[in-house]
Amino acid sequence: MAHGDVLEFEEYVRTRQDALLRSARRLVPDPTDAQDLLQTALVRTYGRWDGIADKSLADAYLRRVMINTRTEWWRARKLDEVPTEQLPDASIEDGSDQRADRALLMDILKVLAPKQRSVVVLRHWEQMSTEETAAALGMSAGTVKSTLHRALARLRQELESRDLDMRALERGDHTTRYEGRERCAA
């Protein structure tokens, strides 16, 4: 490759590397694999750079190289399947664990103040940004952040407390914090 072509390729990579890395990230989920994919594609493209007559099509060419490389990697992957004489027991996902988790989450959300609950729901369930949540609730972004921080800390504390109660029940200690409160109040 001529010296001018090398410099042209280097300039192309310098100016387009961020966009090309984003394309690689869309092709493979792992960021390290995406970097490897881009580097491999750049090495392969470098060898053919002088054959690309219209350099405005270089992005398309390089993306095709990335797709082909990813396909090669996928085909070459080692499968971890091992033939056996006895099939494992089939597990059936009935969704009961998910329903139980959801019920627990709904229950522990009740310990939050209404403002905290609103912030948690908008940020994590509705997946609104901090700014969108602030606009929806009529508060500043800083207030949303601090309210969310305190709410999540309170939820963690409640989950830990309930976990301790469950362990106590499993050990046979039937005096939970709720029963203890009732005794103190009596």
Side-chain angles (χ1 to χ4, degrees), residues 103-151:
L104 174 63
L105 181 59
M106 295 302 291
D107 191 44
I108 66 166
L109 278 174
K110 292 176 187 173
V111 303
L112 297 178
K115 179 175 150 182
Q116 289 177 325
R117 193 174 323 127
S118 297
V119 169
V120 169
V121 168
L122 292 178
R123 285 288 288 125
H124 290 286
W125 252 332
E126 299 298 325
Q127 297 183 345
M128 289 182 161
S129 69
T130 301
E131 292 74 23
E132 291 169 332
T133 302
L137 297 175
M139 58 178 69
S140 71
T143 303
V144 168
K145 290 177 185 178
S146 62
T147 302
L148 181 63
H149 177 76
R150 284 191 301 276

Side-chain angles (χ1 to χ4, degrees), residues 59-96:
D59 279 5
Y61 181 88
L62 205 97
R63 285 188 180 99
R64 173 49 54 193
V65 172
M66 283 192 286
I67 290 168
N68 292 343
T69 303
R70 186 218 41 209
T71 303
E72 288 171 19
W73 290 355
W74 181 80
R75 288 180 180 152
R77 77 192 187 289
K78 180 184 174 201
L79 297 178
D80 293 329
E81 295 178 6
V82 179
T84 62
E85 290 188 26
Q86 186 175 3
L87 291 175
D89 292 335
S91 81
I92 299 172
E93 276 296 318
D94 62 357
S96 61

